[in-house]
Amino acid sequence: MDLLLDPVILVFVSTGQAKSSEKSEDLLAMVKKLQKEGSLEPQIEDLINRINELQQETLRILQLHCHKKESEVQRLDVKEQLEDLMGQHKDLWEFHMLEQRLVREIGALESSKAQLLTEEMLVQAKLEEVGRRLRSQPEVAGTPPVSDGPLLNRPEATAVG
């Protein structure tokens, strides 16, 4: 009989739950009492029913524990995915901001280029006007006559500039 009872006792002791532990102690006390009295056979069915109840309760506790752990794992997965998406969004936002900055800088450079081209045309027109004036004035003693060649290559243009 002791060999039959030892695995049953191990089932109760191994649950690790406070409530189950109390019930296990109660059952163990009942078994010892029944052994002393010698009336174990009539109580076997009751003992089996109580063992089944404990097993069901232990199974339910384990299922709840597993469900809780699965939920925690899912939350961690969702949290990691959210952090990853947030990182991607931040990178995309930074890229977009850099792209906008580049567009603004290109626009500013194009505006500066257009302004410089306009200023160059104005300077060229002024130089041509100065050249016309120089050609239309009578020659001053000691200065060579002005030729009709390119204005910027002439010494007078360099001196005026």
Side-chain angles (χ1 to χ4, degrees), residues 8-11 23 26 53 59 93 96 101 133 143:
V8 171
I9 293 169
L10 287 174
V11 168
K23 289 183 180 182
D26 291 344
E53 288 174 14
L59 179 62
W93 182 81
H96 181 66
R101 180 177 162 202
R133 286 183 187 170
T143 54

Side-chain angles (χ1 to χ4, degrees), residues 5-62:
L5 292 178
D6 287 341
V8 171
I9 293 169
L10 287 174
V11 168
F12 297 128
V13 174
S14 67
T15 60
Q17 302 294 326
K19 192 173 184 180
S20 297
S21 179
E22 286 179 23
K23 289 183 180 182
S24 299
E25 291 173 13
D26 291 344
L27 286 174
L28 182 58
M30 186 177 96
V31 168
K32 285 182 180 180
K33 180 181 172 187
L34 290 173
Q35 281 178 329
K36 285 180 184 176
E37 294 175 5
S39 59
L40 188 59
E41 284 84 19
Q43 303 293 328
I44 289 178
E45 190 172 323
D46 182 46
L47 185 60
I48 290 172
N49 288 336
R50 292 185 73 181
I51 289 170
N52 285 335
E53 288 174 14
L54 273 177
Q55 287 176 337
Q56 293 297 322
E57 184 177 339
T58 303
L59 179 62
R60 185 183 60 81
I61 290 170
L62 287 173

